[in-house]
């Protein structure tokens, strides 16, 4: 079965999953005490919470774009156990559900270079690391790339050279600075805080808007509670101001909001609530059609055929 995309104005869009992992609940909510956050998301026995690895597929009048590439297939058995990550070729399987092959992708936009967002950039083939999307140009913010190449003690566990150095060697990287137009209806927008030059992706066409927030707002609850800032963020107070700005923008534009790590609310809209806050209303349908989160399990049989 070929899965379906949705349309934001003239732009075809689909949420394509690299699967689900489990990540530390405390790290996801920073200073927030566990008795508060566990009421919203229940942790497992290892204090981990379910974490979606959702990526975005965009077809803007023939320009085919993927935003973020998930964890990919290069983690060793120990890391896979820690993240509770199963299966291989997950994002590629989801894309195959849409009839999209890796060679069809023109551009990969990376919100930032943490391992759960760009692990699927490269793959080990015949003992070499090569680009997963063989024709694509990978768009990365200049400062993000610099910080990934020269990590510090706090960031080195997630900035893995194997995810981006091979792309530089293959001359596949387009280095960008600030907000940049990618295609007719797609733009990047700096959303600082999680990393210094973290970027979100905005699709605007025919009066409609969608924002793929990345880790600027990983889950819907992070937009509703501005003080719920993940411990991962390198500039927590900037994160809070970024979220305040995004919340205002989301209310004004009525944009569809894509929450990359939220397993319960992958898509929502912001409405004004008390005390200057916003409330996120889940969006399950768009223009009368259910919004699909295309996951690797949807395409297991298809993938098995392809691999065979
Ligand atoms: Zn992340």
């Amino acid at each position: 079965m070929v899965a379906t995309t949705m349309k934001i104005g003239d732009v075809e869009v689909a949420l394509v999953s690299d699967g689900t992992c489990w990540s530390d609940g405390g790290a996801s909510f920073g200073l927030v005490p566990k008795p508060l956050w566990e009421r919203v998301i229940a942790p497992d026995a290892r204090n981990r919470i379910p974490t979606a690895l959702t990526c975005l597929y965009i077809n803007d009048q023939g320009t085919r774009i993927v935003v973020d590439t998930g964890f990919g297939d290069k983690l060793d058995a120990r890391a896979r156990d820690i993240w509770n990550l199963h299966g291989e070729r997950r994002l590629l399987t989801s894309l195959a559900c849409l009839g999209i092959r890796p060679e069809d992708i023109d551009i990969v936009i990376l919100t930032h270079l943490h391992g759960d967002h760009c692990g699927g950039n490269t793959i080990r083939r015949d003992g070499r690391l090569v680009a997963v999307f063989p024709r694509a140009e990978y768009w990365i913010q200049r400062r993000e790339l610099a910080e990934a190449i020269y990590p510090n003690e706090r960031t080195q566990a997630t900035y893995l050279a194997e995810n981006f150095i091979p792309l530089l060697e293959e001359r596949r990287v387009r280095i960008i600075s600030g907000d940049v137009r990618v295609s007719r209806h797609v733009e990047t927008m700096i959303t600082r805080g999680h990393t210094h030059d973290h970027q979100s992706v905005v699709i605007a066409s025919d009066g409609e808007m969608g924002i793929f927030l990345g880790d600027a707002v990983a889950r819907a609850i992070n937009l509703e509670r501005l003080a719920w800032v993940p411990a991962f963020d390198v500039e927590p107070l900037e994160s809070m101001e970024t979220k305040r700005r995004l919340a205002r923008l989301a209310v004004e534009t009525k944009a569809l909001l894509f929450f990359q790590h939220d397993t319960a609310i992958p898509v929502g809209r912001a409405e004004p609530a008390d005390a200057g806050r916003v409330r996120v209303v889940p969006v399950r349908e768009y223009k009368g059609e259910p919004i699909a989160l295309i996951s690797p399990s949807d395409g297991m049989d298809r993938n098995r055929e392809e691999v065979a």
Side-chain angles (χ1 to χ4, degrees):
M1 192 197 79
V2 174
T4 50
T5 54
M6 60 192 276
K7 276 225 158 169
I8 296 177
D10 296 326
V11 184
E12 230 185 303
V13 168
L15 290 171
V16 280
S17 169
D18 188 50
T20 303
C21 67
W22 288 66
S23 60
D24 188 78
S28 296
F29 296 115
L31 290 177
V32 181
K34 187 175 175 187
L36 289 183
W37 64 254
E38 74 179 351
R39 273 189 252 152
V40 179
I41 305 179
D44 71 358
R46 290 162 79 173
N47 209 43
R48 301 175 303 185
I49 56 173
T51 300
L53 299 167
T54 306
C55 307
L56 193 68
Y57 167 74
I58 304 169
N59 183 349
D60 187 4
Q61 299 176 320
T63 302
R64 289 169 166 183
I65 302 166
V66 167
V67 186
D68 282 355
T69 60
F71 256 130
D73 290 329
K74 301 190 298 299
L75 295 181
D76 61 20
R78 183 171 168 272
R80 280 170 170 268
D81 174 57
I82 289 170
W83 293 104
N84 197 19
L85 196 63
H86 300 282
E88 290 192 331
R89 294 173 60 90
R90 297 173 309 273
L91 174 60
L92 298 184
T93 304
S94 298
L95 286 167
C97 291
L98 294 168
I100 303 296
R101 302 164 303 169
E103 56 269 34
D104 296 329
I105 300 302
D106 301 299
I107 296 171
V108 176
I109 305 171
L110 298 160
T111 59
H112 62 302
L113 294 177
H114 286 171
D116 56 325
H117 295 257
C118 71
N121 284 355
T122 59
I123 193 163
R124 207 163 273 122
R125 199 169 284 151
D126 305 325
R128 277 183 59 225
L129 287 165
V130 296
V132 165
F133 300 97
R135 286 181 42 251
E137 200 171 42
Y138 291 67
W139 292 39
I140 303 173
Q141 285 289 333
R142 179 182 301 277
R143 185 168 180 188
E144 180 66 24
L145 183 60
E147 295 193 357
I149 293 173
Y150 301 106
N152 58 40
E153 288 81 352
R154 190 167 181 263
T155 59
Q156 63 190 6
T158 190
Y159 281 141
L160 306 175
E162 61 188 22
N163 293 336
F164 45 86
I165 296 295
L167 302 178
L168 289 166
E169 289 169 351
E170 282 186 46
R171 298 185 181 279
R172 290 314 187 79
V173 177
R174 179 181 291 209
I175 297 171
I176 58 176
S177 297
D179 300 352
V180 170
R181 177 157 300 284
V182 180
S183 59
R184 183 150 176 225
H185 303 103
V186 179
E187 262 182 293
T188 66
M189 172 173 63
I190 295 286
T191 42
R192 178 173 177 172
H194 183 64
T195 66
H196 290 112
D197 270 353
H198 178 281
Q199 60 185 348
S200 302
V201 175
V202 180
I203 302 137
S205 170
D206 214 10
E208 297 171 47
M209 189 183 273
I211 309 176
F212 187 82
L213 295 155
D215 270 340
V217 191
R219 292 181 165 82
I221 188 75
N222 296 103
L223 195 65
E224 293 184 342
R225 320 243 167 122
L226 293 186
W228 288 33
V229 172
F232 303 113
D233 292 14
V234 298
E235 299 179 299
L237 298 181
E238 284 291 342
S239 288
M240 205 168 67
E241 294 314 317
T242 292
K243 290 196 294 174
R244 197 190 308 278
R245 182 166 62 87
L246 285 169
R248 207 175 295 139
L249 178 70
V251 168
E252 275 168 21
T253 59
K254 301 185 170 60
L256 281 183
L257 306 173
F258 299 109
F259 300 105
Q260 187 166 20
H261 287 318
D262 202 319
T263 52
I265 309 177
V267 187
R269 267 191 225 280
E271 285 182 353
D274 296 342
R277 291 183 176 185
V278 297
R279 181 183 328 116
V280 174
V281 180
V283 177
R284 311 281 180 205
E285 284 190 357
Y286 196 59
K287 299 177 184 171
E289 298 284 335
I291 296 178
L293 173 57
I294 301 164
S295 85
S297 57
D298 298 335
M300 284 302 233
D301 296 338
R302 196 187 177 93
N303 189 31
R304 224 169 282 137
E305 277 165 32
E306 269 175 31
V307 171

